[in-house]
């Protein structure tokens, strides 16, 4: 049987690719401070907390779309429909208009969405990040993908939300 599919989503430069690399213990996804480096989804079969999964790093979701960005958003939308779990990566700061639009877009998949607030090393931005609970999320996970803070707890939360009964 197929492995559960976990998709990492969010706006550009919130650390999706860094989280992907951290969870897969690889350097498969390209990381760069320039927005829009990830255009095509990057997929890999991996293990999180000893469990087999298919992990997908997506391009950034943006409101201001140009031709290429429109294709990136379309591929992200296609990935959402096939994901067993969506890890919505947000930055430790007040939500942007893009964040709010993406949160609204993901409402039909709320039961399959887990929120990771990135770049919270040393408690940075956590007070603003807690405001995300007002969007109706059951929980948020404060992490630093770059520094590895709370990644094990996030991995455990991911695994807890997946059904492995049909995986051989």
């Amino acid at each position: 049987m197929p492995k559960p599919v976990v998709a990492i989503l969010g706006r550009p430069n919130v650390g999706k690719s860094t989280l992907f690399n951290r969870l897969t213990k690889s350097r498969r996804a390209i990381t760069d401070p320039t927005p829009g480096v990830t255009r095509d989804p990057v997929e890999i079969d991996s293990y999180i907390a000893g469990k087999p999964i298919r992990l997908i790093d997506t391009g950034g979701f943006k409101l201001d779309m140009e031709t290429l960005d429109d294709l990136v958003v379309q591929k992200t939308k296609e990935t959402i429909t096939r994901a067993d779990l969506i890890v919505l990566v947000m930055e430790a700061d007040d939500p942007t208009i893009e964040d709010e639009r993406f949160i609204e877009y993901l409402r039909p998949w709320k039961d399959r969405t887990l929120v990771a607030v990135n770049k919270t090393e040393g408690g940075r931005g956590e007070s603003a990040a807690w405001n995300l609970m007002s969007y109706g999320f059951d929980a948020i996970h404060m992490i630093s993908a770059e520094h590895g803070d709370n990644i094990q707890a996030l991995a455990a939360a991911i695994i807890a939300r997946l059904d492995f009964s049909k995986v051989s």
Side-chain angles (χ1 to χ4, degrees):
M1 295 306 289
K3 297 171 182 69
V5 174
V6 178
I8 300 174
L9 290 88
R11 66 181 162 84
N13 280 54
V14 294
K16 296 178 304 296
S17 296
T18 303
L19 178 59
F20 177 90
N21 288 342
R22 176 72 64 176
L23 288 171
T24 61
K25 298 176 178 75
S26 74
R27 289 204 166 284
R28 177 102 187 258
I30 299 169
T31 59
D32 191 274
T34 306
V37 171
T38 304
R39 295 257 177 218
D40 293 312
V42 177
E43 299 188 30
I44 191 170
D45 288 333
S46 189
Y47 288 87
I48 293 182
K51 298 286 189 178
I53 65 157
R54 178 120 183 120
L55 191 64
I56 304 173
D57 178 28
T58 63
F61 189 90
K62 292 175 60 171
L63 273 175
D64 302 322
M65 294 183 269
E66 299 167 9
T67 305
L68 278 176
D69 292 329
D70 193 28
L71 294 172
V72 173
V73 170
Q74 185 57 39
K75 289 177 184 179
T76 298
K77 289 178 177 180
E78 290 168 8
T79 301
I80 290 168
T81 61
R82 61 185 270 242
D84 296 298
L85 181 66
I86 298 161
V87 178
L88 174 59
V89 180
M90 303 188 72
E91 199 166 41
D93 206 348
D94 290 325
T96 66
I97 302 241
E98 283 91 357
D99 290 329
E100 290 177 349
R101 183 168 178 212
F102 206 19
I103 289 167
E104 188 60 34
Y105 180 81
L106 289 174
R107 289 234 184 262
W109 298 279
K110 184 179 178 232
D111 62 327
R112 293 193 280 149
T113 302
L114 184 148
V115 179
V117 179
N118 193 27
K119 304 180 184 180
T120 62
E121 54 274 353
R124 184 179 79 84
E126 283 188 12
S127 58
W130 284 113
N131 291 331
L132 292 170
M133 296 297 284
S134 68
Y135 289 92
F137 298 117
D138 296 331
I140 57 176
H141 302 271
M142 306 287 184
I143 65 165
S144 173
E146 184 176 347
H147 299 280
D149 298 354
N150 300 318
I151 297 299
Q152 295 300 333
L154 176 63
I158 290 169
I159 295 306
R161 298 278 301 270
L162 297 171
D163 179 8
F164 290 93
S165 64
K166 297 176 184 166
V167 178
S168 51

